[in-house]
C-alpha cells in the first residue's frame, strides 16, 4: 500500500484506489486484518487497556495511594523498616483486592458494551458486512445512509441526495450537501463537497465512499490531539477529587500539628514524626480507589440485569444524581408506533387522492427510514404501477419537508409532504374535492381551524402538496414553489399504557420530567393532558428564539413542555438547565439528538437508535421504556449510596480513632500506639468493607437524588465530637478548627462546580434527617 501523493479530495478516484491498493469491491478480510495491525484501531484515543498488568498498575495511581507511598518512603529514609513494610503491605493488599474484584467486573462490562457497539457497513470479500467502527481501515469501501456516523475521512464514490452534519468539525449549523467528483487541491476544508470526515454524520441520503484515513490520522483526530480532548468530568468524579483534596489538607495539617506538639514536649523527633505520619495515614480510607472501581463495576452489572447498559462507568453516579429528565414524547411517553388516522381534502373529507400522493412520497423517498412513512405504507396499498420515480429532494430539519418527482401518463409531477406550516409556505393555491383550483388565501383560515382542531385532539397533521413540471430535469429544494395544497395526512400515536403511573414514580424519585418535542404546542398540550400534565406551562421554539439565556434560565423552572423545538434549541435547553445547577439527563434516539446527548450530564439512548445517537450516549437502554429507566436510576443511586457508605464508615472510624490518639498523646509521656500498630489496625478494619459493593440499601436512600457534600461529612465529624471520650474532648478545639478550616473547600467555584439547585416541588417533603442536613448546608451550601 503506497502513500497518498496529493490531497485526496483532488486526486482522481482511480489513482486513490491504486495508491491505497484497494478495489471498488472492497478489501478481503485477510488484508483488512493486516491493515488493522499496521494502522491500529480506528479510535481517536487509544482504547483503554484491560489486560491484567494494566488493571493492576491502575490500582496504585490515586492521591490516597500516593500519600501512603510518601509515608513508606519517609519511613525507609528514617530507617524504620518495619513501618515501611507495613505501609507497603497496605498498598499491596489494597491494590490486589481492587484488582481481583475489578478484573471480573471489567470482563463483564466489556461484554455488555459489545451489545451496543456502533457498526459500519463495508464491502469485504465481495459482500456487504457490518463491522465494529474501530475495525475500519484505509482502503475499505463503506456504505453510508441517514443516521450513520462517518467511520473515517473518506472520498465519495457516489452519492444520492447526501446531506451531512459537519458541525462538530466546521461549526457549520446546517447540514451541507455532498456529491462525488474532483475538486481543486486548495479548496478549504468546509467547502470540500466530495469528502465526508470522521466526527460527522449523515442527515439524509445515501452514498458509498473510500476510506482514506482513520483514527488520529483524520482531521478530527488531529483536532482532538491538539486539544487533548477528554470526556467532561462528572459530578461524582469531581466529588472524589475534591474529597481527596480534603484528606490531603487534613493530613498535612495533622502531621505538622502533632509533630510540633510532640517536639514541644521534648519527645524523640523521629518517633514524633513517624507517629504523626501514622496518624495522618490512618485518616485516609486506603481502599477508596478499589471500592469505587468495584462499586461502579458491580453497579454496571446490576444495571445490565435491568436492561440498562453503561458505556461510561463514572456516569452511573450522575444517573443516580439526576433530578431533571428531558425527553421526546414519541416512543417514551407514547407507544412510538405512528398510525394513520385519515387522509383528508381541504374540506376535511376523506380523499383517496390525498392518500395516493402521500403513499407515492413515502414509497419513493430514500432519505432515511422513519415511522411516519412506515405508517403510510402500512395503512393501504394503492396501485402505483403507472408512476415511475425520477428524482427526490430529501427531508432536512430546516425545510421539514420531503419531495419526490414521479412520471405518470400526464407528465412529470413533484409531490411534497411535510409539516403543515412548512407546506403552506410553498403553496399558492389549493385543490378542493371537485378537483378545482382555488387561491390558497381564500381557504387558509379554514385550513388553520381544521389544523387547530386536529391538534387539540392530540393528532399530528402533515400537509400534502403537488405541482406539475414542464419536463423531466434534476430538481432542488428551490423547485418547491408555487405548489398546490391537496390536503391533510392526519396521524396519531397513543400514550403508553400506565405512563401516568410511571411519571408519578419519577416524581417520587425526585426527578422532574420535561418534554421536548418538535410537534406544535396544541399537540404537546393535548398529550400533556393525557399523561397527567394538565396544568403544564409550555414554551415554544419561537419563544426561545426571542429569549436571552438569562431569561430562559428563569422560565425553565416553571416550564414542563417545550414544543415546536428545533434541533439546535434542544442543546440550549439542556445547557440552561445545567447552568441552573440541575443534574440533567436527556433521552433521545434520533439524528438530531446528538448535540443534546453530548451536552447533558447523562446522555441516554436506546439500542435501536441511530449510530450517532448511540455513540454520543453514556447510558443505552435495551428497551425504550421509562420503567427500564427507573430501574436504572435506582441502581445508580444504590451504587452511589454504597460508595458513600464506605466513606462514612472509614472517615467515622478513622477520624474518631486518630483524633482520640492525637488527644491522648498530649497527656501521656509515651505514644499511645506505635506507628506500625496504628497502620495494622487501620488495614484490618478496612478488610470487611470490601463487600459493601454488594450491600443492600434502605428504600429511603433511593427516594431522592443525592450528590457529594463535604458538609455532610463535617456533620458526621461533629457527631463524633459529641460522643468523644474526655481525651478526645480535650482535642476538640484542634479538631473543630481542622474540620472548619477544610470545609471551605466546598465553596471553590473555580473548580468548575455550580451551586446546588433549590429543591424540586416533589422534594419539599424530605425526611427530617435531610432537613437537618439542609440546615447545616447554610454554613456550607455548596455540595462537592
Amino acid at each position: 500500500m503506497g502513500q497518498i501523493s496529493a490531497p485526496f479530495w483532488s486526486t482522481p478516484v482511480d489513482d486513490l484506489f491504486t495508491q491505497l491498493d484497494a478495489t471498488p469491491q472492497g478489501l478481503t478480510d485477510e488484508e483488512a486484518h493486516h491493515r488493522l495491525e499496521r494502522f491500529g484501531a480506528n479510535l481517536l484515543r487509544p482504547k483503554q487497556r484491560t489486560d491484567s498488568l494494566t488493571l493492576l498498575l491502575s490500582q496504585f495511581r490515586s492521591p490516597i495511594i500516593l500519600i501512603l507511598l510518601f509515608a513508606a518512603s519517609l519511613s525507609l529514609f528514617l530507617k524504620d523498616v518495619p513501618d515501611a513494610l507495613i505501609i507497603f503491605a497496605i498498598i499491596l493488599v489494597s491494590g490486589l483486592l481492587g484488582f481481583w474484584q475489578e478484573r471480573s467486573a471489567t470482563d463483564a462490562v466489556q461484554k455488555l458494551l459489545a451489545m451496543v457497539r456502533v457498526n459500519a457497513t463495508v464491502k469485504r470479500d465481495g459482500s456487504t458486512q457490518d463491522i465494529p467502527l474501530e475495525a475500519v481501515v484505509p482502503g475499505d469501501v463503506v456504505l453510508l445512509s441517514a443516521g450513520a456516523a462517518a467511520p473515517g475521512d473518506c472520498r465519495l464514490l457516489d452519492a444520492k441526495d447526501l446531506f451531512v452534519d459537519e458541525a462538530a468539525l466546521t461549526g457549520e449549523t446546517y447540514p451541507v450537501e455532498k456529491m462525488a467528483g474532483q475538486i481543486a487541491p486548495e479548496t478549504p476544508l468546509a467547502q470540500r463537497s466530495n469528502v465526508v470526515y470522521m466526527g460527522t454524520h449523515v442527515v439524509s441520503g445515501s452514498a458509498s465512499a473510500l476510506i482514506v484515513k482513520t483514527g488520529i490520522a483524520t482531521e478530527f483526530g488531529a483536532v482532538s490531539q491538539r486539544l487533548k480532548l477528554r470526556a467532561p468530568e462528572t459530578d461524582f468524579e469531581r466529588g472524589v477529587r475534591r474529597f481527596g483534596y480534603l484528606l490531603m489538607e487534613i493530613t498535612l495539617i495533622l502531621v505538622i500539628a502533632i509533630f510540633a506538639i510532640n517536639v514541644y514536649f521534648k519527645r524523640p523527633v523521629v518517633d514524633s514524626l513517624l507517629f504523626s505520619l501514622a496518624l495522618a495515614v490512618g485518616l485516609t480510607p486506603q481502599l477508596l480507589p478499589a471500592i469505587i472501581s468495584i462499586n461502579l463495576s458491580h453497579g454496571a452489572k446490576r444495571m445490565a440485569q435491568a436492561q440498562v447498559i453503561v458505556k461510561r462507568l463514572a456516569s452511573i453516579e450522575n444517573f443516580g444524581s439526576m433530578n431533571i429528565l428531558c425527553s421526546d414524547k414519541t416512543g417514551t411517553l407514547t407507544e412510538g408506533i405512528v398510525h394513520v388516522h385519515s387522509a383528508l381534502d381541504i374540506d376535511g373529507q376523506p380523499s383517496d387522492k390525498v392518500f395516493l400522493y402521500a403513499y407515492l412520497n413515502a414509497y419513493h423517498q430514500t432519505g432515511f427510514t422513519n415511522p411516519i412513512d412506515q405508517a403510510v405504507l402500512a395503512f393501504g396499498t394503492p396501485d402505483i404501477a403507472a408512476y415511475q420515480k425520477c428524482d427526490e429532494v430529501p427531508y432536512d430539519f430546516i425545510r421539514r419537508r420531503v419531495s419526490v418527482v414521479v412520471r405518470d401518463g400526464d407528465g412529470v409531477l413533484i409531490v411534497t409532504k411535510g409539516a403543515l406550516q412548512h407546506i403552506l409556505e410553498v403553496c399558492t393555491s389549493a385543490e378542493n374535492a371537485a378537483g378545482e383550483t382555488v387561491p390558497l388565501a381564500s381557504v387558509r383560515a379554514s385550513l388553520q381551524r381544521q389544523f387547530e382542531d386536529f391538534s387539540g385532539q392530540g393528532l399530528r397533521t402533515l400537509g400534502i402538496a403537488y405541482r406539475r413540471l414542464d419536463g423531466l430535469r434534476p430538481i432542488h429544494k428551490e423547485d418547491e414553489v408555487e405548489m398546490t395544497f391537496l390536503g391533510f395526512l392526519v396521524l396519531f400515536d397513543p400514550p403508553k399504557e400506565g405512563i401516568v403511573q410511571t411519571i408519578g414514580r419519577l416524581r417520587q424519585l425526585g426527578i422532574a420530567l420535561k418534554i421536548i418535542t418538535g410537534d406544535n404546542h396544541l399537540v404537546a398540550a393535548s398529550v400533556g393532558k393525557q399523561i397527567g400534565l394538565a396544568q403544564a406551562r409550555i414554551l415554544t421554539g419561537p419563544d426561545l428564539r426571542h429569549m436571552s439565556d438569562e431569561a430562559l434560565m428563569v422560565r425553565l423552572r416553571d416550564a414542563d413542555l417545550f414544543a415546536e423545538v428545533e434541533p439546535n434549541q434542544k442543546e440550549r435547553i439542556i445547557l440552561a438547565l445545567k447552568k441552573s445547577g440541575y443534574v440533567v439527563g436527556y433521552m433521545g434516539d434520533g439524528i438530531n439528538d446528538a448535540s443534546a446527548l453530548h451536552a447533558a450530564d447523562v446522555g441516554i439512548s436506546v439500542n435501536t437508535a441511530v449510530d450517532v445517537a448511540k455513540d454520543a450516549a453514556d447510558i443505552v437502554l435495551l428497551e425504550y421504556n421509562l420503567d427500564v429507566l427507573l430501574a436504572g436510576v435506582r441502581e445508580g443511586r444504590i451504587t452511589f449510596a454504597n460508595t458513600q457508605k464506605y466513606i462514612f464508615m472509614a472517615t467515622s472510624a478513622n477520624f474518631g480513632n486518630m483524633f482520640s490518639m492525637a488527644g491522648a498523646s498530649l497527656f501521656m509521656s509515651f505514644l499511645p500506639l506505635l506507628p506500625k500498630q496504628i497502620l495494622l489496625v487501620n488495614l484490618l478494619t478496612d478488610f470487611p468493607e470490601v463487600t459493601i459493593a454488594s450491600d443492600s440499601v434502605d428504600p429511603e436512600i433511593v427516594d431522592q437524588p443525592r450528590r457529594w457534600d463535604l458538609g455532610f461529612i463535617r456533620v458526621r465529624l461533629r457527631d463524633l465530637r459529641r460522643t468523644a471520650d474526655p481525651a478526645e474532648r480535650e482535642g476538640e478545639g484542634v479538631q473543630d478548627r481542622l474540620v472548619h478550616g477544610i470545609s471551605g473547600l466546598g465553596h471553590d467555584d473555580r473548580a468548575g462546580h455550580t451551586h446546588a439547585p433549590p429543591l424540586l416541588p416533589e422534594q419539599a417533603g424530605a425526611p427530617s434527617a435531610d432537613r437537618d442536613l439542609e440546615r447545616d448546608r447554610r454554613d456550607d451550601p455548596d455540595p462537592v
Side-chain angles (χ1 to χ4, degrees):
M1 175 179 168
Q3 297 293 321
I4 305 300
S5 57
F8 67 92
W9 53 89
S10 63
T11 303
V13 170
D14 291 340
D15 291 348
L16 274 180
F17 275 116
T18 301
Q19 293 170 13
L20 291 169
D21 195 15
T23 68
Q25 290 72 41
L27 303 173
T28 65
D29 283 332
E30 182 180 0
E31 175 61 23
H33 179 71
H34 290 320
R35 296 191 184 194
L36 188 60
E37 291 182 342
R38 175 181 174 183
F39 294 102
N42 183 25
L43 299 169
L44 293 180
R45 60 174 61 89
K47 192 173 183 179
Q48 185 175 1
R49 294 179 61 188
T50 55
D51 58 87
S52 299
L53 180 60
T54 303
L55 276 180
L56 180 60
L57 294 177
S58 69
Q59 309 300 319
F60 305 105
R61 63 185 184 189
S62 75
I64 293 173
I65 294 296
L66 295 178
I67 292 174
L68 293 173
L69 286 172
F70 172 77
S73 302
L74 189 58
S75 296
L76 283 177
F77 178 76
L78 296 174
K79 298 187 173 21
D80 191 340
V81 177
D83 281 4
L85 292 177
I86 289 175
I87 298 175
F88 279 128
I90 291 173
I91 296 172
L92 183 61
V93 170
S94 171
L96 289 175
L97 280 173
F99 167 75
W100 175 59
Q101 293 280 347
E102 196 174 350
R103 173 74 270 175
S104 59
T106 300
D107 290 341
V109 170
Q110 292 300 319
K111 292 177 183 177
L112 294 174
L113 289 178
M115 299 173 64
V116 292
R117 178 176 290 156
V118 176
N119 291 328
T121 303
V122 300
K123 292 182 179 180
R124 293 270 180 92
D125 284 330
S127 63
T128 300
Q129 301 180 21
D130 287 334
I131 64 171
L133 202 67
E134 64 222 40
V136 173
V137 295
D140 266 324
V141 174
V142 62
L143 305 181
L144 302 173
S145 59
D153 289 357
C154 47
R155 173 75 176 273
L156 290 174
L157 303 178
D158 60 70
K160 177 63 176 175
D161 300 315
L162 185 68
F163 285 81
V164 176
D165 184 345
E166 294 187 328
L169 190 62
T170 66
E172 175 61 43
T173 304
Y174 303 116
V176 295
E177 187 173 10
K178 299 284 186 176
M179 59 193 72
Q182 188 174 331
I183 57 178
E186 63 275 8
T187 305
L189 184 145
Q191 298 176 19
R192 295 170 192 166
S193 58
N194 63 348
V195 175
V196 177
Y197 290 101
M198 188 176 196
T200 67
H201 64 272
V202 179
V203 174
S204 62
S206 59
S208 65
L210 174 64
I211 298 293
V212 180
K213 297 180 180 180
T214 59
I216 61 174
T218 62
E219 290 288 343
F220 201 68
V223 172
S224 67
Q225 286 295 105
R226 288 197 300 269
L227 299 179
K228 299 297 181 185
L229 295 179
R230 63 185 297 270
E233 187 177 44
T234 67
D235 188 69
F236 174 75
E237 289 171 324
R238 182 166 56 248
V240 172
R241 173 174 56 80
R242 297 176 69 188
F243 179 67
Y245 293 159
L246 168 68
L247 291 179
M248 291 178 72
E249 287 206 32
I250 291 180
T251 299
L252 180 61
I253 294 173
L254 189 64
V255 167
I256 295 173
I258 299 301
F259 176 70
I261 291 172
N262 278 277
V263 170
Y264 176 78
F265 286 122
K266 297 184 171 49
R267 287 168 186 163
V269 174
V270 174
D271 289 346
S272 298
L273 180 59
L274 290 176
F275 178 71
S276 62
L277 198 59
L279 288 181
V281 172
L283 286 174
T284 63
Q286 291 98 330
L287 295 183
L288 180 59
I291 292 292
I292 290 175
S293 296
I294 295 166
N295 275 347
L296 293 179
S297 300
H298 278 270
K301 288 197 290 185
R302 287 196 304 267
M303 289 173 74
Q305 295 172 356
Q307 303 294 295
V308 180
I309 304 301
V310 180
K311 291 179 59 185
R312 183 183 176 199
L313 286 180
S315 65
I316 292 177
E317 309 294 354
N318 269 3
F319 201 36
S321 301
M322 178 177 67
N323 50 24
I324 293 283
L325 174 63
C326 298
S327 173
D328 190 5
K329 67 177 182 62
T330 304
T332 307
L333 309 178
T334 63
E335 293 291 346
I337 303 175
V338 179
H339 303 274
V340 175
H341 179 274
S342 54
L344 309 174
D345 61 24
I346 64 172
D347 298 319
Q349 300 301 313
S351 169
D352 291 337
K353 184 175 182 180
V354 172
F355 180 71
L356 171 64
Y357 279 26
Y359 190 92
L360 283 169
N361 184 283
Y363 184 84
H364 288 300
Q365 77 87 22
T366 58
F368 62 94
T369 304
N370 64 83
I372 291 177
D373 288 334
Q374 292 175 344
V376 172
L377 297 178
F379 188 69
T381 53
D383 184 10
I384 60 171
Y387 296 89
Q388 179 184 0
K389 178 183 176 181
C390 303
D391 201 358
E392 73 175 294
V393 181
Y395 181 89
D396 65 54
F397 297 101
I398 306 302
R399 293 164 40 250
R400 297 187 67 183
R401 54 182 178 260
V402 55
S403 296
V404 299
V405 177
V406 293
R407 191 203 316 243
D408 62 4
D410 297 325
V412 181
L413 180 72
I414 176 173
V415 179
T416 303
K417 173 178 95 272
L420 182 64
Q421 300 303 327
H422 291 257
I423 290 294
L424 291 177
E425 70 184 21
V426 298
C427 292
T428 56
S429 60
E431 182 180 303
N432 60 25
E436 300 170 343
T437 301
V438 298
L440 181 67
S442 65
V443 296
R444 183 181 281 274
S446 172
L447 298 178
Q448 184 64 28
R449 283 195 300 271
Q450 293 183 71
F451 171 71
E452 292 176 358
D453 182 51
F454 295 142
S455 299
Q457 301 174 49
L459 301 173
R460 183 174 182 182
T461 308
L462 302 183
I464 305 295
Y466 75 95
R467 178 164 73 94
R468 287 285 174 181
L469 299 178
D470 296 334
L472 182 60
R473 58 181 173 80
I475 65 164
H476 307 281
K477 55 188 177 183
E478 291 78 13
D479 292 299
E480 296 172 337
V481 292
E482 299 181 353
M483 303 192 76
T484 299
F485 183 78
L486 187 61
F488 306 99
L489 182 66
V490 185
L491 310 158
F492 72 99
D493 181 11
K496 282 186 175 179
E497 185 178 353
I499 189 62
V500 175
Q501 292 77 10
T502 301
I503 293 175
R505 288 195 291 271
L506 268 177
R507 289 199 189 99
Q508 292 171 3
L509 288 173
I511 301 174
L513 177 67
K514 295 187 183 293
I515 302 170
I516 304 176
T517 177
D519 287 344
N520 72 76
H521 67 283
L522 296 173
V523 173
S526 175
V527 174
K529 291 178 183 178
Q530 295 177 54
I531 64 175
L533 300 177
Q535 304 301 321
R537 296 188 182 181
I538 300 177
L539 279 181
T540 66
D543 293 334
L544 296 178
R545 280 198 296 271
H546 299 96
M547 196 179 295
S548 68
D549 289 342
E550 291 75 16
L552 178 59
M553 290 172 63
V554 174
R555 296 286 301 276
L556 282 175
R557 298 186 180 185
D558 299 323
D560 296 310
L561 292 173
F562 299 86
E564 303 169 32
V565 173
E566 298 172 2
N568 61 327
Q569 291 176 328
K570 295 182 180 181
E571 182 180 13
R572 188 181 175 207
I573 293 170
I574 300 299
L575 293 175
L577 285 168
K578 289 176 64 176
K579 288 179 181 177
S580 298
Y582 295 100
V583 180
V584 185
Y586 180 79
M587 191 170 180
D589 64 348
I591 300 169
N592 59 338
D593 290 318
S595 59
L597 288 166
H598 273 297
D601 290 299
V602 187
I604 306 164
S605 192
V606 290
N607 200 29
T608 55
V610 298
D611 286 347
V612 67
K614 197 160 54 174
D615 189 49
D618 302 304
I619 305 284
V620 177
L621 308 182
L622 296 183
E623 184 179 339
Y624 211 150
N625 193 319
L626 279 182
D627 288 325
V628 172
L629 184 74
L630 287 172
V633 167
R634 291 191 180 94
E635 289 298 338
R637 293 182 182 178
I638 289 172
T639 302
F640 183 69
N642 282 336
T643 303
Q644 285 203 321
K645 272 185 194 176
Y646 170 74
I647 291 172
F648 294 150
M649 291 172 64
T651 52
S652 297
N654 293 356
F655 272 65
N657 292 338
M658 297 307 109
F659 278 113
S660 294
M661 280 184 281
S665 69
L666 301 177
F667 305 99
M668 295 181 178
S669 58
F670 57 89
L671 297 178
L673 284 177
L674 296 174
K676 59 179 70 66
Q677 293 171 322
I678 295 174
L679 298 176
L680 188 58
V681 167
N682 206 44
L683 175 63
L684 293 175
T685 55
D686 268 2
F687 271 144
E689 294 167 358
V690 175
T691 59
I692 285 178
S694 57
D695 197 15
S696 300
V697 172
D698 294 333
E700 60 267 21
I701 298 297
V702 298
D703 282 347
Q704 297 295 328
R706 301 178 188 276
R707 301 169 72 178
W708 275 87
D709 192 349
L710 288 181
F712 191 88
I713 297 176
R714 177 158 55 84
V715 171
R716 291 300 181 102
L717 297 179
R718 284 179 179 172
D719 293 341
L720 285 174
R721 286 206 314 275
R722 292 170 187 156
T723 58
D725 58 28
E728 186 174 352
R729 284 197 294 270
E730 290 291 341
E732 182 175 321
V734 175
Q735 178 181 344
D736 192 55
R737 285 192 296 275
L738 285 173
V739 175
H740 281 276
I742 300 307
S743 64
L745 274 172
H747 299 280
D748 185 9
D749 284 341
R750 289 174 298 177
H753 178 69
T754 53
H755 287 280
L759 285 176
L760 299 172
E762 57 269 26
Q763 292 174 286
S768 59
D770 286 346
R771 289 196 294 270
D772 292 339
L773 178 57
E774 287 302 317
R775 283 196 297 271
D776 183 72
R777 283 177 178 161
R778 296 188 186 108
D779 298 326
D780 184 14
D782 191 17
V784 175

